[in-house]
Amino acid sequence: MIKVSDTAKKKIIDLMTDDGFDAAHDYVRVGVKSGGCSGLSYDLKFDKTKGDDDKIFVDNDIQIAVEKKSFLYLAGTILEFSGGLNGKGFVFNNPNASRTCGCGESFSL
């Protein structure tokens, strides 16, 4: 399962609305792709459709779609949003990552 913090929920709803998506019906698609300085990087986007290979989770009223191949890397992850002085953006707190890069956008197992 993937969890969504309260701050991430608020930012997701704002961004989805700005981009023409509806948080009540559309999905936040979270995935993993090759690349980044640690080997794997996170992918986050909005989607109106559910794929055949997607696992769907609902946490904090946010619908999350994850392709099955990415799910093993993301199980137990908490999606947060940071707006601090050191940068602004979504943060993936992934218990499966053994190493992360300084920017927090890539990881390895």
Side-chain angles (χ1 to χ4, degrees), residues 20-105:
F21 291 89
D22 180 359
H25 302 288
D26 298 326
Y27 302 95
V28 175
R29 181 168 296 283
V30 181
V32 172
K33 59 184 179 182
S34 296
C37 51
S38 292
L40 298 169
S41 62
Y42 298 106
D43 189 29
L44 180 78
K45 58 187 173 186
F46 304 132
D47 201 340
K48 292 185 178 286
T49 60
K50 173 188 171 288
D52 291 337
D53 289 335
D54 288 342
K55 287 186 169 273
I56 303 297
F57 303 96
V58 178
D59 187 64
N60 211 355
D61 298 324
I62 300 296
Q63 296 187 93
I64 304 161
V66 181
E67 288 183 49
K68 286 182 183 177
K69 66 181 181 177
S70 291
F71 176 70
L72 293 174
Y73 298 108
L74 297 170
T77 295
I78 300 171
L79 181 60
E80 300 188 41
F81 185 81
S82 174
L85 294 174
N86 291 335
K88 186 188 298 189
F90 288 100
V91 177
F92 294 83
N93 286 323
N94 186 344
N96 304 304
S98 63
R99 185 181 68 188
T100 59
C101 68
C103 67
E105 293 186 17

Coordinates of all heavy atoms in Angstrom, one line a residue, residues 20-105:
G20 N -6.7 20.2 -14.8 CA -7.9 19.7 -15.4 C -8.3 18.3 -14.9 O -9.1 17.7 -15.6
F21 N -7.8 17.8 -13.8 CA -8.1 16.5 -13.3 C -9.0 16.7 -12.1 O -9.0 17.8 -11.5 CB -6.9 15.8 -12.9 CG -6.0 15.3 -14.0 CD1 -5.0 16.2 -14.5 CD2 -6.2 14.1 -14.6 CE1 -4.2 15.8 -15.6 CE2 -5.4 13.7 -15.7 CZ -4.4 14.5 -16.2
D22 N -9.8 15.7 -11.7 CA -10.7 15.7 -10.6 C -10.2 14.6 -9.6 O -10.2 13.4 -9.9 CB -12.1 15.4 -11.0 CG -13.1 15.4 -9.9 OD1 -12.7 15.6 -8.7 OD2 -14.3 15.2 -10.2
A23 N -9.7 15.1 -8.4 CA -9.1 14.2 -7.4 C -10.2 13.1 -7.0 O -9.8 12.1 -6.5 CB -8.6 14.9 -6.3
A24 N -11.4 13.4 -7.1 CA -12.5 12.4 -6.7 C -12.6 11.3 -7.6 O -13.1 10.2 -7.2 CB -13.8 13.2 -6.5
H25 N -12.2 11.5 -8.9 CA -12.4 10.4 -9.9 C -11.1 10.0 -10.6 O -11.0 8.9 -11.1 CB -13.4 10.9 -11.0 CG -14.7 11.3 -10.4 ND1 -15.6 10.4 -10.0 CD2 -15.3 12.5 -10.2 CE1 -16.7 11.0 -9.5 NE2 -16.5 12.3 -9.7
D26 N -10.1 10.9 -10.7 CA -8.9 10.6 -11.4 C -7.8 10.0 -10.5 O -8.0 10.0 -9.3 CB -8.4 11.8 -12.1 CG -9.4 12.3 -13.2 OD1 -10.1 11.4 -13.8 OD2 -9.5 13.5 -13.4
Y27 N -6.7 9.6 -11.1 CA -5.6 8.9 -10.3 C -4.3 9.7 -10.3 O -4.0 10.4 -11.2 CB -5.3 7.5 -11.0 CG -6.5 6.6 -11.1 CD1 -7.3 6.6 -12.3 CD2 -6.9 5.8 -10.1 CE1 -8.4 5.8 -12.4 CE2 -8.0 5.0 -10.2 CZ -8.7 5.0 -11.3 OH -9.8 4.1 -11.4
V28 N -3.6 9.4 -9.2 CA -2.2 9.8 -9.1 C -1.5 8.6 -9.5 O -1.6 7.5 -8.8 CB -1.8 10.3 -7.7 CG1 -0.3 10.6 -7.7 CG2 -2.6 11.5 -7.3
R29 N -0.7 8.6 -10.6 CA 0.0 7.4 -11.0 C 1.4 7.6 -10.5 O 2.1 8.5 -10.8 CB 0.0 7.4 -12.6 CG 0.7 6.1 -13.1 CD 0.5 5.9 -14.5 NE -0.9 5.6 -14.8 CZ -1.5 4.4 -14.6 NH1 -0.8 3.4 -14.0 NH2 -2.8 4.2 -14.8
V30 N 1.8 6.6 -9.7 CA 3.2 6.5 -9.1 C 3.9 5.3 -9.7 O 3.3 4.2 -9.8 CB 3.1 6.4 -7.6 CG1 4.4 6.4 -7.0 CG2 2.3 7.6 -7.0
G31 N 5.1 5.5 -10.1 CA 5.9 4.4 -10.7 C 7.4 4.6 -10.4 O 7.8 5.5 -9.8
V32 N 8.1 3.6 -10.9 CA 9.6 3.6 -10.8 C 10.1 3.3 -12.2 O 9.6 2.5 -13.0 CB 10.0 2.4 -9.9 CG1 11.5 2.2 -9.9 CG2 9.5 2.7 -8.5
K33 N 11.2 4.1 -12.6 CA 11.8 3.9 -13.9 C 13.3 3.8 -13.7 O 13.8 4.3 -12.7 CB 11.4 4.9 -14.9 CG 11.7 6.3 -14.4 CD 11.1 7.3 -15.4 CE 11.5 8.7 -14.9 NZ 10.9 9.8 -15.8
S34 N 14.0 3.3 -14.6 CA 15.5 3.3 -14.6 C 16.0 4.7 -14.8 O 15.5 5.4 -15.6 CB 16.0 2.4 -15.7 OG 15.6 1.0 -15.5
G35 N 17.1 5.0 -14.0 CA 17.7 6.3 -14.2 C 17.9 6.9 -12.8 O 17.6 6.4 -11.8
G36 N 18.5 8.1 -12.9 CA 18.8 8.8 -11.7 C 20.2 8.4 -11.2 O 20.8 7.4 -11.6
C37 N 20.7 9.2 -10.3 CA 22.1 8.9 -9.8 C 22.2 7.7 -8.9 O 23.3 7.2 -8.7 CB 22.7 10.1 -9.1 SG 21.6 10.8 -7.9
S38 N 21.1 7.1 -8.4 CA 21.1 5.9 -7.6 C 20.6 4.7 -8.3 O 20.5 3.6 -7.7 CB 20.3 6.2 -6.3 OG 21.0 7.1 -5.5
G39 N 20.2 4.8 -9.5 CA 19.8 3.6 -10.3 C 18.3 3.6 -10.7 O 18.0 3.2 -11.8
L40 N 17.5 4.0 -9.8 CA 16.0 4.0 -10.1 C 15.5 5.4 -9.7 O 16.0 6.0 -8.7 CB 15.3 2.9 -9.2 CG 15.7 1.5 -9.5 CD1 15.1 0.6 -8.5 CD2 15.2 1.1 -10.9
S41 N 14.5 5.8 -10.4 CA 13.9 7.1 -10.0 C 12.4 7.0 -10.0 O 11.8 6.1 -10.6 CB 14.3 8.2 -11.0 OG 13.9 7.9 -12.3
Y42 N 11.8 7.9 -9.2 CA 10.3 7.9 -9.1 C 9.7 8.6 -10.2 O 10.2 9.6 -10.8 CB 10.0 8.6 -7.7 CG 10.5 7.9 -6.5 CD1 11.6 8.4 -5.8 CD2 10.0 6.7 -6.1 CE1 12.1 7.8 -4.7 CE2 10.5 6.1 -4.9 CZ 11.5 6.6 -4.3 OH 12.0 6.0 -3.2
D43 N 8.5 8.2 -10.5 CA 7.7 8.9 -11.6 C 6.3 9.1 -11.0 O 5.7 8.3 -10.4 CB 7.6 7.9 -12.8 CG 7.0 8.6 -14.0 OD1 7.1 9.8 -14.2 OD2 6.4 7.9 -14.8
L44 N 5.9 10.4 -11.1 CA 4.6 10.8 -10.6 C 3.9 11.6 -11.6 O 4.4 12.6 -12.1 CB 4.8 11.6 -9.3 CG 3.6 12.2 -8.5 CD1 3.0 11.1 -7.7 CD2 4.0 13.3 -7.6
K45 N 2.6 11.2 -11.9 CA 1.8 12.0 -12.9 C 0.4 11.7 -12.6 O 0.0 10.8 -11.8 CB 2.2 11.7 -14.3 CG 2.1 10.2 -14.7 CD 2.6 10.0 -16.1 CE 2.6 8.5 -16.4 NZ 3.3 8.2 -17.6
F46 N -0.5 12.5 -13.3 CA -1.9 12.3 -13.1 C -2.5 11.5 -14.3 O -2.0 11.6 -15.4 CB -2.7 13.6 -13.0 CG -2.1 14.5 -11.9 CD1 -1.8 15.8 -12.1 CD2 -1.9 14.0 -10.6 CE1 -1.3 16.6 -11.1 CE2 -1.4 14.7 -9.6 CZ -1.1 16.1 -9.8
D47 N -3.6 10.7 -14.1 CA -4.1 9.9 -15.1 C -5.6 9.8 -14.9 O -6.1 9.7 -13.8 CB -3.5 8.5 -15.1 CG -3.6 7.8 -16.4 OD1 -4.5 8.1 -17.2 OD2 -2.8 6.8 -16.6
K48 N -6.4 9.8 -16.0 CA -7.8 9.7 -16.0 C -8.3 8.2 -16.1 O -9.4 7.9 -15.8 CB -8.5 10.5 -17.1 CG -8.3 12.0 -16.9 CD -9.1 12.8 -17.9 CE -9.0 14.2 -17.7 NZ -9.7 14.7 -16.5
T49 N -7.4 7.3 -16.5 CA -7.8 5.9 -16.7 C -6.9 4.9 -15.9 O -5.8 5.2 -15.6 CB -7.6 5.5 -18.2 OG1 -6.3 5.7 -18.6 CG2 -8.5 6.4 -19.1
K50 N -7.5 3.8 -15.6 CA -6.9 2.7 -14.9 C -6.4 1.7 -15.9 O -7.2 1.3 -16.8 CB -7.8 2.1 -13.9 CG -7.3 0.9 -13.2 CD -8.5 0.3 -12.4 CE -8.1 -1.1 -11.9 NZ -8.0 -2.1 -12.8
G51 N -5.1 1.3 -15.8 CA -4.6 0.3 -16.7 C -5.0 -1.1 -16.2 O -5.3 -1.3 -15.0
D52 N -4.9 -2.1 -17.1 CA -5.2 -3.5 -16.8 C -4.2 -4.1 -15.7 O -4.6 -4.9 -14.9 CB -5.1 -4.4 -18.0 CG -6.3 -4.1 -19.0 OD1 -7.3 -3.5 -18.5 OD2 -6.2 -4.4 -20.2
D53 N -3.0 -3.6 -15.7 CA -2.0 -4.1 -14.8 C -1.8 -3.2 -13.6 O -0.8 -3.4 -12.8 CB -0.6 -4.2 -15.5 CG -0.6 -5.4 -16.5 OD1 -1.4 -6.3 -16.3 OD2 0.2 -5.3 -17.5
D54 N -2.7 -2.3 -13.3 CA -2.6 -1.4 -12.2 C -3.1 -2.0 -10.9 O -4.1 -2.7 -10.9 CB -3.3 -0.1 -12.5 CG -2.7 0.8 -13.5 OD1 -1.5 0.6 -13.8 OD2 -3.3 1.7 -14.0
K55 N -2.5 -1.7 -9.8 CA -3.0 -1.9 -8.5 C -3.5 -0.5 -8.1 O -2.8 0.5 -8.2 CB -1.9 -2.4 -7.5 CG -1.5 -3.8 -7.7 CD -0.6 -4.2 -6.6 CE -0.3 -5.7 -6.7 NZ -1.3 -6.4 -5.9
I56 N -4.7 -0.5 -7.5 CA -5.3 0.8 -7.1 C -5.4 0.8 -5.6 O -5.8 -0.1 -4.9 CB -6.7 0.9 -7.7 CG1 -6.7 0.8 -9.2 CG2 -7.4 2.2 -7.2 CD1 -5.9 1.9 -9.9
F57 N -5.0 1.9 -5.0 CA -5.0 2.2 -3.6 C -5.7 3.5 -3.3 O -5.6 4.4 -4.2 CB -3.6 2.3 -3.0 CG -2.8 1.1 -3.2 CD1 -1.9 1.1 -4.3 CD2 -2.9 0.0 -2.4 CE1 -1.1 -0.1 -4.5 CE2 -2.1 -1.2 -2.7 CZ -1.2 -1.2 -3.7
V58 N -6.5 3.6 -2.3 CA -7.1 4.9 -1.9 C -6.6 5.1 -0.5 O -6.8 4.3 0.5 CB -8.6 4.8 -1.9 CG1 -9.2 6.1 -1.4 CG2 -9.1 4.4 -3.3
D59 N -5.9 6.3 -0.3 CA -5.5 6.7 1.0 C -5.7 8.2 1.1 O -5.4 9.0 0.2 CB -4.0 6.4 1.3 CG -3.6 6.7 2.7 OD1 -4.1 6.0 3.6 OD2 -2.8 7.6 2.9
N60 N -6.3 8.6 2.2 CA -6.5 10.0 2.5 C -7.3 10.7 1.3 O -7.1 11.8 0.9 CB -5.2 10.7 2.7 CG -5.3 11.9 3.6 OD1 -6.4 12.3 4.1 ND2 -4.2 12.5 3.9
D61 N -8.3 9.9 0.8 CA -9.2 10.3 -0.3 C -8.5 10.5 -1.6 O -9.0 11.2 -2.5 CB -10.0 11.6 0.1 CG -10.9 11.3 1.3 OD1 -11.4 10.2 1.4 OD2 -11.0 12.3 2.1
I62 N -7.3 10.0 -1.8 CA -6.5 10.1 -3.0 C -6.4 8.8 -3.6 O -6.0 7.8 -3.0 CB -5.1 10.7 -2.8 CG1 -5.2 12.1 -2.2 CG2 -4.3 10.7 -4.1 CD1 -5.8 13.2 -3.1
Q63 N -6.8 8.6 -4.9 CA -6.7 7.4 -5.6 C -5.3 7.3 -6.3 O -4.9 8.1 -7.0 CB -7.8 7.3 -6.7 CG -9.2 7.3 -6.1 CD -10.2 7.0 -7.2 OE1 -10.6 5.9 -7.4 NE2 -10.6 8.1 -7.9
I64 N -4.6 6.2 -6.0 CA -3.3 6.0 -6.4 C -3.3 4.8 -7.3 O -3.7 3.7 -7.0 CB -2.3 5.8 -5.3 CG1 -2.4 7.0 -4.3 CG2 -0.9 5.6 -5.8 CD1 -1.9 6.7 -3.0
A65 N -2.7 4.9 -8.5 CA -2.5 3.8 -9.5 C -1.1 3.5 -9.6 O -0.2 4.4 -9.8 CB -3.1 4.2 -10.8
V66 N -0.7 2.2 -9.4 CA 0.7 1.7 -9.5 C 0.7 0.5 -10.4 O -0.1 -0.5 -10.2 CB 1.2 1.3 -8.1 CG1 2.7 0.9 -8.2 CG2 1.1 2.5 -7.2
E67 N 1.5 0.5 -11.5 CA 1.7 -0.7 -12.3 C 2.3 -1.8 -11.4 O 3.1 -1.5 -10.5 CB 2.6 -0.4 -13.4 CG 2.0 0.5 -14.5 CD 3.0 0.7 -15.7 OE1 3.6 -0.4 -16.1 OE2 3.2 1.8 -16.1
K68 N 1.9 -3.0 -11.7 CA 2.3 -4.1 -10.9 C 3.9 -4.2 -10.8 O 4.4 -4.6 -9.8 CB 1.7 -5.4 -11.4 CG 0.3 -5.6 -11.1 CD -0.3 -6.9 -11.6 CE -1.7 -7.0 -11.3 NZ -2.4 -8.2 -11.8
K69 N 4.5 -3.9 -11.9 CA 6.0 -4.1 -11.9 C 6.7 -3.0 -11.0 O 7.8 -3.3 -10.5 CB 6.6 -4.0 -13.3 CG 6.4 -2.6 -14.0 CD 6.9 -2.6 -15.4 CE 6.8 -1.2 -16.0 NZ 7.3 -1.2 -17.3
S70 N 6.0 -1.9 -10.7 CA 6.6 -0.9 -9.8 C 6.2 -1.1 -8.4 O 6.8 -0.6 -7.5 CB 6.1 0.5 -10.3 OG 6.6 0.9 -11.5
F71 N 5.1 -1.9 -8.2 CA 4.6 -2.0 -6.8 C 5.6 -2.6 -5.8 O 5.7 -2.2 -4.7 CB 3.3 -2.9 -6.8 CG 2.8 -3.1 -5.4 CD1 2.2 -2.1 -4.7 CD2 2.9 -4.4 -4.9 CE1 1.8 -2.3 -3.4 CE2 2.4 -4.6 -3.6 CZ 1.9 -3.5 -2.9
L72 N 6.4 -3.6 -6.3 CA 7.4 -4.2 -5.3 C 8.4 -3.2 -4.8 O 8.8 -3.3 -3.7 CB 8.1 -5.4 -6.0 CG 7.2 -6.6 -6.4 CD1 8.0 -7.6 -7.2 CD2 6.7 -7.2 -5.1
Y73 N 8.7 -2.2 -5.6 CA 9.6 -1.2 -5.2 C 9.0 -0.1 -4.3 O 9.7 0.6 -3.6 CB 10.2 -0.4 -6.4 CG 11.0 -1.3 -7.4 CD1 10.4 -1.6 -8.6 CD2 12.2 -1.8 -7.1 CE1 11.1 -2.4 -9.5 CE2 12.9 -2.6 -8.0 CZ 12.4 -2.9 -9.2 OH 13.1 -3.7 -10.1
L74 N 7.7 0.0 -4.4 CA 7.0 1.1 -3.7 C 6.1 0.7 -2.5 O 5.6 1.6 -1.8 CB 6.1 1.8 -4.7 CG 6.8 2.5 -5.8 CD1 5.8 3.0 -6.9 CD2 7.7 3.7 -5.3
A75 N 6.0 -0.6 -2.2 CA 5.2 -1.1 -1.1 C 5.6 -0.4 0.2 O 6.8 -0.4 0.5 CB 5.2 -2.6 -1.0
G76 N 4.6 0.2 0.9 CA 4.9 0.8 2.2 C 5.4 2.3 2.1 O 5.6 2.9 3.1
T77 N 5.5 2.8 0.9 CA 6.0 4.2 0.7 C 4.9 5.2 1.2 O 3.7 5.0 1.0 CB 6.3 4.4 -0.8 OG1 7.4 3.6 -1.2 CG2 6.7 5.9 -1.1
I78 N 5.4 6.3 1.7 CA 4.5 7.4 2.1 C 4.9 8.6 1.3 O 6.1 9.0 1.2 CB 4.7 7.7 3.6 CG1 4.4 6.6 4.5 CG2 3.9 9.0 4.0 CD1 4.8 6.8 6.0
L79 N 3.9 9.1 0.6 CA 4.1 10.2 -0.3 C 3.8 11.5 0.5 O 2.8 11.7 1.1 CB 3.2 10.2 -1.5 CG 3.2 11.3 -2.5 CD1 4.6 11.4 -3.1 CD2 2.2 11.1 -3.6
E80 N 4.8 12.4 0.6 CA 4.7 13.6 1.4 C 5.1 14.8 0.5 O 5.6 14.6 -0.6 CB 5.7 13.5 2.6 CG 5.3 12.4 3.5 CD 6.1 12.4 4.8 OE1 6.3 13.5 5.4 OE2 6.5 11.4 5.3
F81 N 4.8 16.0 1.0 CA 5.1 17.2 0.2 C 5.9 18.1 1.2 O 5.5 18.3 2.3 CB 3.9 17.9 -0.3 CG 4.2 19.1 -1.1 CD1 4.6 18.9 -2.5 CD2 4.3 20.4 -0.6 CE1 4.9 20.0 -3.2 CE2 4.6 21.5 -1.4 CZ 4.9 21.3 -2.7
S82 N 7.0 18.5 0.7 CA 7.9 19.4 1.5 C 8.0 20.8 0.9 O 8.2 20.9 -0.3 CB 9.3 18.8 1.6 OG 10.2 19.7 2.2
G83 N 7.7 21.8 1.6 CA 7.8 23.2 1.1 C 8.9 24.0 1.9 O 8.8 25.2 2.0
G84 N 9.9 23.3 2.4 CA 10.9 23.9 3.2 C 11.9 24.8 2.4 O 11.9 24.9 1.2
L85 N 12.9 25.3 3.2 CA 13.9 26.2 2.6 C 14.8 25.4 1.7 O 15.4 26.0 0.8 CB 14.7 26.8 3.7 CG 13.9 27.8 4.5 CD1 14.8 28.3 5.7 CD2 13.5 29.0 3.7
N86 N 15.0 24.1 1.9 CA 15.9 23.3 1.1 C 15.3 22.8 -0.2 O 15.9 22.1 -0.9 CB 16.4 22.1 1.9 CG 17.3 22.5 3.0 OD1 17.9 23.6 3.0 ND2 17.4 21.7 4.1
G87 N 14.1 23.2 -0.5 CA 13.5 22.8 -1.7 C 12.0 22.5 -1.5 O 11.6 22.3 -0.4
K88 N 11.3 22.5 -2.6 CA 9.9 22.2 -2.6 C 9.6 21.1 -3.5 O 10.1 21.0 -4.6 CB 9.1 23.5 -3.0 CG 7.6 23.4 -2.8 CD 6.9 24.6 -3.4 CE 7.2 25.9 -2.8 NZ 6.3 27.0 -3.2
G89 N 8.7 20.2 -3.1 CA 8.3 19.1 -4.0 C 7.8 17.9 -3.2 O 7.8 17.9 -2.0
F90 N 7.4 16.9 -4.0 CA 7.0 15.7 -3.4 C 8.2 14.8 -2.9 O 9.2 14.8 -3.6 CB 6.1 14.9 -4.4 CG 4.8 15.5 -4.6 CD1 4.6 16.3 -5.7 CD2 3.8 15.3 -3.7 CE1 3.3 16.8 -5.9 CE2 2.5 15.9 -3.9 CZ 2.3 16.7 -5.0
V91 N 8.0 14.2 -1.8 CA 9.1 13.4 -1.2 C 8.5 11.9 -1.0 O 7.4 11.8 -0.5 CB 9.5 13.9 0.2 CG1 10.5 13.0 0.9 CG2 10.0 15.3 0.0
F92 N 9.3 11.0 -1.5 CA 8.9 9.6 -1.3 C 9.7 9.0 -0.1 O 10.9 8.8 -0.2 CB 9.2 8.8 -2.6 CG 8.4 9.2 -3.8 CD1 8.8 10.3 -4.5 CD2 7.3 8.5 -4.1 CE1 8.1 10.7 -5.7 CE2 6.6 8.9 -5.3 CZ 7.0 9.9 -6.0
N93 N 9.0 8.7 1.0 CA 9.6 8.0 2.1 C 9.4 6.5 1.9 O 8.3 6.0 2.2 CB 9.0 8.5 3.4 CG 9.5 9.9 3.8 OD1 10.6 10.2 3.5 ND2 8.6 10.7 4.3
N94 N 10.4 5.9 1.3 CA 10.3 4.5 0.8 C 11.1 3.6 1.7 O 12.4 3.7 1.8 CB 10.9 4.4 -0.6 CG 10.7 3.1 -1.2 OD1 10.5 2.1 -0.6 ND2 10.8 3.0 -2.5
P95 N 10.5 2.7 2.5 CA 11.2 1.8 3.4 C 12.0 0.8 2.7 O 12.9 0.1 3.3 CB 10.1 1.2 4.2 CG 8.9 1.2 3.3 CD 9.0 2.5 2.5
N96 N 11.8 0.6 1.4 CA 12.5 -0.4 0.6 C 13.8 0.1 0.1 O 14.7 -0.7 -0.3 CB 11.7 -0.9 -0.6 CG 10.3 -1.4 -0.1 OD1 10.2 -2.3 0.7 ND2 9.2 -0.8 -0.6
A97 N 14.0 1.4 0.1 CA 15.3 2.0 -0.5 C 16.4 1.8 0.5 O 16.3 2.2 1.6 CB 15.0 3.5 -0.8
S98 N 17.5 1.2 0.0 CA 18.7 1.1 0.8 C 19.6 2.3 0.7 O 20.4 2.5 1.6 CB 19.5 -0.2 0.5 OG 19.9 -0.1 -0.9
R99 N 19.5 3.0 -0.4 CA 20.3 4.2 -0.6 C 19.5 5.2 -1.5 O 18.8 4.8 -2.4 CB 21.6 3.8 -1.3 CG 22.5 5.0 -1.5 CD 23.7 4.5 -2.3 NE 23.3 4.2 -3.6 CZ 24.1 3.7 -4.5 NH1 25.3 3.3 -4.2 NH2 23.7 3.5 -5.8
T100 N 19.5 6.5 -1.1 CA 18.9 7.5 -1.9 C 19.9 8.6 -2.2 O 20.9 8.7 -1.6 CB 17.7 8.2 -1.1 OG1 18.2 8.7 0.1 CG2 16.6 7.1 -0.8
C101 N 19.6 9.3 -3.3 CA 20.5 10.4 -3.6 C 20.2 11.6 -2.8 O 19.2 11.7 -2.1 CB 20.4 10.7 -5.1 SG 18.9 11.4 -5.6
G102 N 21.0 12.7 -2.9 CA 20.8 13.9 -2.2 C 19.6 14.6 -2.5 O 18.9 15.3 -1.7
C103 N 19.1 14.5 -3.8 CA 17.9 15.2 -4.2 C 16.6 14.5 -3.8 O 15.5 15.0 -3.9 CB 17.9 15.5 -5.7 SG 17.8 14.1 -6.7
G104 N 16.8 13.2 -3.5 CA 15.6 12.4 -3.1 C 14.7 11.9 -4.2 O 13.7 11.3 -4.0
E105 N 15.2 12.1 -5.4 CA 14.4 11.6 -6.6 C 14.8 10.3 -7.1 O 14.2 9.8 -8.0 CB 14.4 12.7 -7.7 CG 13.7 14.0 -7.2 CD 13.6 15.0 -8.3 OE1 13.8 14.6 -9.5 OE2 13.4 16.2 -8.0

